[in-house]
C-alpha cells in the first residue's frame, strides 16, 4: 500500500481534554462510536470524556462499565473523568483504581444537573485528591449567583437567547476561578479551569500562576470567535454554559493564549439533537453544541490568516494538554502510546463547514456555513490510520485505548499549610507586641 503526503503537513494529533460523548445514558445525542468518529475527522487522536453520563461516573463500578463501552467502540484514544462532589469524596481511591484521567468538579449547574459542592466540601475533596497527583478540572461558575439571576429574569418574562447570557455574567466565573485557586493553593491540588469564556477570568488565573499554584486553563473556539451578534442568527443553538459573551472578550482570550495564561484549546463538544436545540422556551433548550471535529479547521484558519504560527497551534492543541495531564514523554524516554498519533492536514484547503456533514449525531451547531482554511485529510492513532481521505477506516472501531495507563502525575504538595498560617499570625505586629 502506498501513501502520498505531498502538500500535507503532519501535526501531532490534537488532544481534546473536554468532550461529552453521552455514553451511556444519552446515546440518542452521541455515543462513543459516533463521538470518536467525529474526533478522527477533526484530527483529534485523544479525547477526555466528561462524567455527566447516566449514571454519573462517581464510583468504581460505573467507571468500569464505561471503560467497557469505550474500549469496544472508540476509534481514537481516550481518558475518562470522574465526578468529584460532596458525596463522592470517599470514592476517590476506588475511582483512581478503576482508571481515570482526572476529576471533574461542577461548581455551577449545567447539563445533567449534577449537585454542586459547598466550598467546605471542595476543600476536603481537594485535600483528598492532592496526594494522588490527579488534576481536578473545574466547571467554574458559582451556582447561587446564577440561580438568583435566572429566577429574576424568568419572573420578568425574559425568553430570548440573550437572557441566558444575562443570567450567567462573567463575575460568576471570575469569582469561581479565584475561589478554586485559593483552595488549590492551600491543599496542593492541581487544577484546570474549563471553558474560560471571558477576559476577566484571566486576572485570577494569572495571579494564581504567579503565586505558584499548579493551575491551567482552556478556552474553546466559540469563546474566541463568536459574540453577542451571533445570538440573533443562532437563537437557541448558541445556548451553552458558560455563555458566548460580548465580542469584546474575543481579543483578550486570544491574547491570553498567546502569552501563555491560557494553556490550551478544548472544545466542550456537547451534542444535543436539533429538536433539543430549537425549543421555543429558551430556558428549556439543552446547553452546548458539537465541536470536536471543527476545532482544528477553525483554528488553522487563523494560522492561514497569519494571526499565529502553526507551532503555537500545536502547543495549544497537543503539547500542553499532554504535559498538563502527564502524557508527555520525558527527554530521552519512549512513552508507550505517545507514538504516531498524527493529523495529516492540508493547510491551504478552503472549504465550508456544514452541520449536515458532521460525523457527530448532533448535526446542529453555530458553525454551519462558516468558511475555513485547513482540512484534516488523514488521522493516525498509534501508527494506524483511523480516518483516511475523509473516510473512516474499516475495523478501527475498538482501536482506541484509555491513556490513564500511561499517565505519570507525581504527588502534589501544597504551597501553604496550617503551620505556614501559624507563622504568618505569629509575625503580625499585634502578636509581637
Ligand atoms: C455541557 C453538556 O451538555 O454536557 N453543556 C454545556 O453547555 N457546556 C456541560 C458543561 O460543560 O457544562
Ligand atoms: Zn462545563
Ligand atoms: Zn463540558
Amino acid at each position: 500500500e502506498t501513501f502520498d503526503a505531498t502538500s500535507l503537513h503532519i501535526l501531532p494529533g490534537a488532544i481534546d481534554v473536554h468532550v461529552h460523548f453521552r455514553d451511556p445514558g444519552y446515546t440518542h445525542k452521541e455515543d462513543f462510536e459516533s463521538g470518536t468518529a467525529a474526533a478522527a475527522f477533526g484530527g483529534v487522536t485523544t479525547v477526555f470524556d466528561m462524567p455527566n453520563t447516566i449514571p454519573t461516573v462517581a464510583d468504581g463500578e460505573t467507571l468500569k462499565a464505561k471503560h467497557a463501552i469505550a474500549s469496544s467502540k472508540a476509534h481514537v484514544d481516550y481518558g475518562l473523568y470522574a465526578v468529584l462532589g460532596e458525596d463522592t469524596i470517599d470514592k476517590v481511591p476506588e475511582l483512581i483504581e478503576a482508571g481515570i484521567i482526572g476529576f471533574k468538579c461542577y461548581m455551577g449547574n449545567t447539563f445533567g444537573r449534577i449537585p454542586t459542592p459547598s466550598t467546605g466540601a471542595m476543600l476536603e475533596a481537594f485535600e483528598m485528591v492532592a496526594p494522588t497527583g490527579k488534576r481536578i478540572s473545574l466547571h467554574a461558575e458559582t451556582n447561587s449567583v446564577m440561580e438568583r439571576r435566572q429566577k429574576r429574569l424568568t419572573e420578568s418574562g425574559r425568553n430570548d437567547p440573550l437572557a441566558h447570557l444575562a443570567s450567567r455574567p462573567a463575575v460568576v466565573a471570575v469569582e469561581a476561578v479565584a475561589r478554586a485557586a485559593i483552595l488549590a493553593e492551600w491543599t496542593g491540588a492541581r487544577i484546570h479551569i474549563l471553558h474560560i469564556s471571558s477576559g476577566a477570568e484571566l486576572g485570577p488565573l494569572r495571579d494564581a500562576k504567579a503565586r505558584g499554584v499548579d493551575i491551567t486553563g482552556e478556552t474553546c473556539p466559540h469563546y474566541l470567535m463568536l459574540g453577542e451578534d451571533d445570538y440573533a442568527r443562532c437563537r437557541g443553538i448558541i445556548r451553552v454554559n458558560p455563555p458566548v459573551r460580548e465580542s469584546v472578550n474575543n481579543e483578550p482570550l486570544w491574547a491570553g493564549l498567546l502569552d501563555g495564561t491560557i494553556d490550551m484549546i478544548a472544545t466542550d463538544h456537547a451534542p444535543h439533537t436539533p429538536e433539543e436545540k430549537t425549543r421555543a422556551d429558551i430556558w428549556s433548550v439543552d446547553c452546548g453544541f458539537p465541536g470536536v471535529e471543527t476545532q482544528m479547521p477553525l483554528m488553522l484558519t487563523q494560522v492561514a490568516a497569519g494571526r499565529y504560527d502553526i507551532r503555537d497551534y500545536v502547543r495549544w492543541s497537543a503539547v500542553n494538554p499532554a504535559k498538563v495531564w502527564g502524557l508527555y514523554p520525558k527527554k530521552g524516554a519512549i512513552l508507550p502510546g505517545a507514538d504516531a498519533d498524527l493529523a495529516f492536514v492540508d493547510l491551504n484547503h478552503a472549504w465550508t463547514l456544514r452541520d449536515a456533514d458532521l460525523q457527530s449525531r448532533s448535526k446542529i451547531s453555530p458553525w454551519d456555513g462558516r468558511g475555513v482554511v485547513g482540512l484534516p485529510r488523514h488521522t493516525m492513532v498509534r501508527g494506524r490510520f483511523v480516518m483516511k481521505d475523509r473516510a473512516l477506516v474499516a475495523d478501527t472501531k475498538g482501536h482506541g485505548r484509555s491513556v490513564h495507563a500511561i499517565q505519570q502525575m507525581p504527588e502534589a504538595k501544597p504551597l501553604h499549610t496550617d503551620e505556614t498560617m501559624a507563622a504568618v499570625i505569629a509575625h503580625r505586629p499585634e502578636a509581637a507586641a
Side-chain angles (χ1 to χ4, degrees):
E1 192 188 14
T2 61
F3 173 70
D4 186 1
T6 308
S7 81
L8 300 181
H9 280 67
I10 304 177
L11 309 183
I15 301 174
D16 190 339
V17 305
H18 187 169
V19 304
H20 300 266
F21 283 173
R22 312 293 194 208
D23 197 353
Y26 305 101
T27 50
H28 67 288
K29 299 174 191 276
E30 196 81 288
D31 76 353
F32 245 91
E33 187 176 0
S34 58
T36 55
F41 272 68
V44 176
T45 52
T46 305
V47 293
F48 297 170
D49 185 59
M50 286 295 171
N52 57 337
T53 37
I54 308 176
T56 304
V57 181
D59 63 81
E61 282 313 305
T62 304
L63 181 64
K64 281 178 199 157
K66 193 168 185 176
H67 268 301
I69 292 168
S71 67
S72 70
K73 294 188 186 175
H75 294 279
V76 305
D77 286 349
Y78 54 86
L80 301 181
Y81 279 104
V83 161
L84 189 66
E86 195 115 19
D87 310 320
T88 67
I89 300 176
D90 59 335
K91 298 285 201 283
V92 165
E94 71 178 59
L95 286 163
I96 290 177
E97 176 67 29
I100 53 167
I101 195 69
F103 287 98
K104 167 73 176 281
C105 177
Y106 288 87
M107 298 174 80
N109 238 322
T110 183
F111 182 75
R113 296 255 135 205
I114 291 169
T116 59
S118 67
T119 306
M122 275 178 69
L123 177 64
E124 279 167 27
F126 280 28
E127 282 173 337
M128 185 83 177
V129 173
T132 74
K134 292 284 181 189
R135 191 170 294 274
I136 304 166
S137 296
L138 295 129
H139 180 116
E141 286 188 296
T142 298
N143 209 41
S144 54
V145 184
M146 304 190 292
E147 288 194 334
R148 295 179 74 88
R149 286 259 175 154
Q150 182 169 337
K151 189 163 176 286
R152 275 203 269 123
L153 284 155
T154 46
E155 278 167 4
S156 70
R158 287 283 299 273
N159 184 33
D160 55 294
L162 279 165
H164 173 67
L165 167 56
S167 75
R168 304 174 93 110
V171 61
V172 160
V174 173
E175 191 271 343
V177 171
R179 185 152 48 94
I182 288 168
L183 298 177
E185 185 172 353
W186 282 82
T187 57
R190 303 194 162 96
I191 61 170
H192 175 73
I193 306 299
L194 300 160
H195 43 42
I196 293 171
S197 58
S198 65
E201 284 157 86
L202 301 183
L205 178 57
R206 203 174 275 130
D207 290 350
K209 285 189 174 194
R211 299 200 302 276
V213 178
D214 191 337
I215 181 172
T216 56
E218 71 184 34
T219 189
C220 314
H222 43 282
Y223 302 120
L224 292 164
M225 302 179 199
L226 300 178
E228 77 272 33
D229 292 347
D230 295 290
Y231 276 75
R233 173 178 65 86
C234 297
R235 295 281 315 163
I237 299 169
I238 205 170
R239 193 178 182 214
V240 59
N241 295 328
V244 166
R245 300 190 182 284
E246 301 80 357
S247 54
V248 292
N249 289 281
N250 297 154
E251 283 309 315
L253 291 172
W254 283 117
L257 270 174
L258 279 161
D259 72 17
T261 306
I262 301 175
D263 300 84
M264 67 194 75
I265 286 288
T267 68
D268 192 8
H269 177 84
H272 301 285
T273 66
E275 188 203 14
E276 292 161 340
K277 292 300 296 178
T278 54
R279 292 181 182 133
D281 175 9
I282 193 68
W283 301 106
S284 70
V285 168
D286 284 345
C287 292
F289 40 78
V292 73
E293 59 193 297
T294 47
Q295 176 270 110
M296 194 176 282
L298 285 165
M299 294 297 291
L300 290 180
T301 303
Q302 302 298 320
V303 174
R307 188 192 280 266
Y308 47 79
D309 192 270
I310 187 75
R311 282 161 293 197
D312 297 317
Y313 172 68
V314 165
R315 199 169 63 246
W316 305 329
S317 66
V319 173
N320 284 351
K323 286 183 173 169
V324 166
W325 272 273
L327 303 174
Y328 196 77
K330 290 202 176 65
K331 212 173 173 180
I334 294 173
L335 192 64
D339 44 333
D341 288 346
L342 303 171
F344 297 73
V345 300
D346 183 342
L347 291 178
N348 298 311
H349 188 90
W351 56 300
T352 303
L353 300 178
R354 294 282 174 211
D355 286 349
D357 296 338
L358 293 175
Q359 298 297 307
S360 171
R361 232 160 247 175
S362 166
K363 299 189 193 313
I364 186 160
S365 87
W367 306 114
D368 188 48
R370 193 174 178 106
V372 287
V373 181
L375 177 75
R377 178 75 67 190
H378 323 289
T379 302
M380 178 179 275
V381 176
R382 276 176 287 105
R384 185 164 170 202
F385 284 111
V386 295
M387 189 276 282
K388 207 170 172 194
D389 282 318
R390 303 297 290 164
L392 222 46
V393 175
D395 299 325
T396 57
K397 177 182 171 183
H399 177 62
R401 288 281 165 269
S402 177
V403 296
H404 79 272
I406 57 163
Q407 185 184 38
Q408 297 179 324
M409 301 284 278
E411 183 183 339
K413 293 252 163 54
L415 294 170
H416 310 306
T417 61
D418 287 349
E419 290 81 69
T420 326
M421 191 48 135
V424 171
I425 291 166
H427 282 86
R428 277 186 193 153
E430 67 268 29

